[in-house]
Amino acid sequence: AVIAAIQGRGAGTPRQAAANLVREARRYLDVKDARMAIAIATRALDLDPKNAAAYHVRAVAQSQTGRLEDSVRDASLSLALVTPKEGFPALKTRAWAYNGLRKFDDALKDSLQAKSIKPGDGFVLMTEARALGGLGRREEMVSRLKEAAAAEPDRYQGLYEAALELPSDADTETLFTGLPASARGGPAKPSRGGTWHKLRLLVYCLAGGLLIALGLSHKDVAERATTTARRLLTGAPAVDGAEPAPAAPAPATNFWSRYDGAREIAKGGMGIVFEATDKNLGRRVAVKKMREELRTDPRERERFLKEARTVASLQHPNVVQIFEVAEDGLDAYLVFEYVDGETLHDRLRRLKRLTLPDTAKILAGVCAAVECAHGRAMTHRDLKPSNIMIDRDGRVKVMDFGIARHAKDALTKLSMTNTVCGTPPYMAPEQEQGMVCKESDVFSLGVLAYELLSGTLPFEGAPGAMLLAKMSGRYEPVSKRVKDLPAGVDDPLARALCPDPAKRYRRPSELAAALEALSSAVRA
């Protein structure tokens, strides 16, 4: 009703009504109602889908509510509709969101582009510094903060001075977010009144300036900064109770006493992966120690473990088997079968692209695994080459059924970010918009087949432009990129990559059968 009333105020054409809504959405940002701002901006976009300002207002509001993936997407859509100079505010917003997602390479690119438009903007210099710090380029980070302090001393001088005092083994993100040092080795939790306490206070005061740059009002910033500063100085709890109470420790099971020779072999979004030997059974296993963030919310941790146990019941020759879901105090572990081989990502990087028969053979195994999961009402949601193993005998093994998705869900909820999870180039358009079905996995399988055959992805570029290409079905047919492929190969890929889920293959095995038929014709 509120939106309808706003829309009706002197509205003429849909475009004029949308402009009225955008102005009102900005006012809701000023009174600290980001959710209403999102709703109003969304209605503006219903009326005028090419309103760049509406996309940007919604991107700012998404950032304020912690929905950083949504913020990136909306900022990207805004940028696709304006000139680079006009897109300067959206570039800043997207750089801020990318940094929050720890996508520091992307944040750095946006910061550098924004700096080319306005070289002396303090906020841009700060986002560049944060990205450089996240990439391990510490000296350059300090240098950029020095420039930011020179450009806007009231806002950034304190941050620059804190950077000079930051311990060499501390996570640079502490400067910008107030997070504790990483598990790789930072200082112990400081006592109130020490250098690190002052740094955290500085961060929260600085946050006021940063949020202003993203579109918040001075009044809103003052309220937030004052509340947080009071809590830091007095030890009183936050008014909104944002910090969860620590979970009670579970009884220790001395997990690692049952394994020999543990060595780290990989790191990923879920945690750290170790290779070890099960002393009781004398077999090699892969052990994933879950991310530290799962400790903070007992309900999310239990939800994750419950999902892991459900996935452990999925038995199929093409699925990496989970042997055990274990807890040791607050830590959670998944024990998998150890696959002696390489990921499909590594194979593709080594060979550049695969033949049609090899692609058909690998997809047959992947599709069989996915179809088995679909039969158990499970979707994967993150099918990509790095989640597929090929052992030394050529057997295909799919990893992370359901587990990665729920780990990411838990992490994004804890950090108040968007819960749409996956890897954008492989995600179906409806998945990027928050809806997932079995056909979403079929879309990912189509992307995977395209990449194996060509060595390239069908959809690339900035997130917003990539999503628009998926929604309109715009990509170069694989037969045009690879001349020795039969023309018929475009048809099954086009069906798998159809924007409308209802028009895709209903079952992964149908895609596998189509590719096998083409492969058999080539061999004949």
Side-chain angles (χ1 to χ4, degrees), residues 291-362:
R291 288 277 295 266
E292 296 295 329
E293 288 90 335
L294 287 173
R295 292 169 168 262
T296 61
D297 190 328
R299 288 172 298 181
E300 287 299 337
R301 185 170 179 275
E302 183 56 36
R303 177 172 175 261
F304 170 82
L305 291 170
K306 181 179 179 181
E307 178 67 13
R309 294 182 183 106
T310 300
V311 175
S313 67
L314 184 62
Q315 302 290 316
H316 191 276
N318 296 115
V319 175
V320 173
Q321 185 179 354
I322 302 177
F323 294 141
E324 182 184 9
V325 181
E327 299 178 70
D328 189 352
L330 292 178
D331 290 321
Y333 299 89
L334 301 184
V335 183
F336 292 82
E337 67 171 302
Y338 178 82
V339 180
D340 188 7
E342 64 179 348
T343 66
L344 185 55
H345 171 79
D346 290 336
R347 175 168 292 193
L348 189 58
R349 185 171 58 180
R350 177 166 53 82
L351 299 178
K352 308 306 180 187
R353 68 181 185 89
L354 304 185
T355 65
L356 178 56
D358 285 345
T359 296
K361 180 180 178 181
I362 290 171

Side-chain angles (χ1 to χ4, degrees), residues 8 18 29 34-35 77 103 112 120 123-124 248 268 277 287 290 371 382 393 438 441 445 483 485 489 504 515:
L29 285 179
R35 297 188 185 282
L77 289 167
K103 295 183 177 180
L112 291 175
F123 181 82
V124 170
T277 300
V287 179
M290 294 297 98
E371 191 154 312
D382 199 17
D393 295 323
K438 294 177 181 179
D441 279 346
L445 290 166
K483 301 303 180 185
L485 290 174
V489 76
R504 295 178 203 146
L515 292 174

Side-chain angles (χ1 to χ4, degrees), residues 196-452:
W196 276 88
H197 172 65
K198 293 175 182 176
L199 171 59
R200 292 185 67 207
L201 181 58
L202 166 67
V203 168
Y204 285 105
C205 293
L206 169 68
L210 305 189
L211 291 169
I212 289 170
L214 290 181
L216 286 172
S217 70
H218 288 271
K219 178 182 177 182
D220 180 29
V221 170
E223 289 175 356
R224 295 192 186 189
T226 300
T227 299
T228 309
R230 185 183 299 116
R231 177 171 56 85
L232 286 171
L233 288 171
T234 66
V239 172
D240 58 2
E243 293 188 3
T253 60
N254 198 14
F255 173 83
W256 285 111
S257 66
R258 290 144 44 201
Y259 298 94
D260 275 338
R263 67 181 186 91
E264 183 180 319
I265 56 175
K267 282 185 178 180
M270 292 173 62
I272 304 174
V273 184
F274 300 88
E275 177 191 349
T277 300
D278 185 323
K279 293 192 293 187
N280 294 330
L281 300 176
R283 66 184 176 190
R284 281 198 293 177
V285 295
V287 179
K288 287 188 178 180
K289 180 183 178 184
M290 294 297 98
R291 288 277 295 266
E292 296 295 329
E293 288 90 335
L294 287 173
R295 292 169 168 262
T296 61
D297 190 328
R299 288 172 298 181
E300 287 299 337
R301 185 170 179 275
E302 183 56 36
R303 177 172 175 261
F304 170 82
L305 291 170
K306 181 179 179 181
E307 178 67 13
R309 294 182 183 106
T310 300
V311 175
S313 67
L314 184 62
Q315 302 290 316
H316 191 276
N318 296 115
V319 175
V320 173
Q321 185 179 354
I322 302 177
F323 294 141
E324 182 184 9
V325 181
E327 299 178 70
D328 189 352
L330 292 178
D331 290 321
Y333 299 89
L334 301 184
V335 183
F336 292 82
E337 67 171 302
Y338 178 82
V339 180
D340 188 7
E342 64 179 348
T343 66
L344 185 55
H345 171 79
D346 290 336
R347 175 168 292 193
L348 189 58
R349 185 171 58 180
R350 177 166 53 82
L351 299 178
K352 308 306 180 187
R353 68 181 185 89
L354 304 185
T355 65
L356 178 56
D358 285 345
T359 296
K361 180 180 178 181
I362 290 171
L363 260 293
V366 177
C367 288
V370 174
E371 191 154 312
C372 175
H374 287 180
R376 300 287 300 276
M378 299 180 195
T379 53
H380 193 290
R381 300 195 186 192
D382 199 17
L383 288 164
K384 56 186 176 182
S386 60
N387 276 338
I388 298 166
M389 292 290 300
I390 303 173
D391 70 14
R392 293 188 181 276
D393 295 323
R395 288 187 292 261
V396 173
K397 297 276 191 176
V398 181
M399 302 185 289
D400 288 347
F401 266 99
I403 305 296
R405 167 171 57 88
H406 281 274
K408 289 176 183 175
D409 282 352
L411 293 175
T412 51
K413 283 186 178 180
L414 291 173
S415 59
M416 295 184 64
T417 61
N418 173 38
T419 57
V420 175
C421 296
T423 305
Y426 300 90
M427 291 167 69
E430 71 275 5
Q431 185 178 351
E432 290 200 52
Q433 296 173 305
M435 187 195 82
V436 177
C437 55
K438 294 177 181 179
E439 290 78 14
S440 302
D441 279 346
V442 171
F443 186 95
S444 300
L445 290 166
V447 175
L448 183 61
Y450 188 107
E451 184 181 18
L452 295 180

Side-chain angles (χ1 to χ4, degrees), residues 493-523:
L493 294 187
R495 185 169 177 184
L497 297 173
C498 181
D500 183 355
K503 295 180 180 179
R504 295 178 203 146
Y505 291 111
R506 309 302 289 180
R507 300 171 59 184
S509 59
E510 296 177 277
L511 172 60
L515 292 174
E516 178 55 34
L518 287 165
S519 176
S520 298
V522 169
R523 288 194 296 265

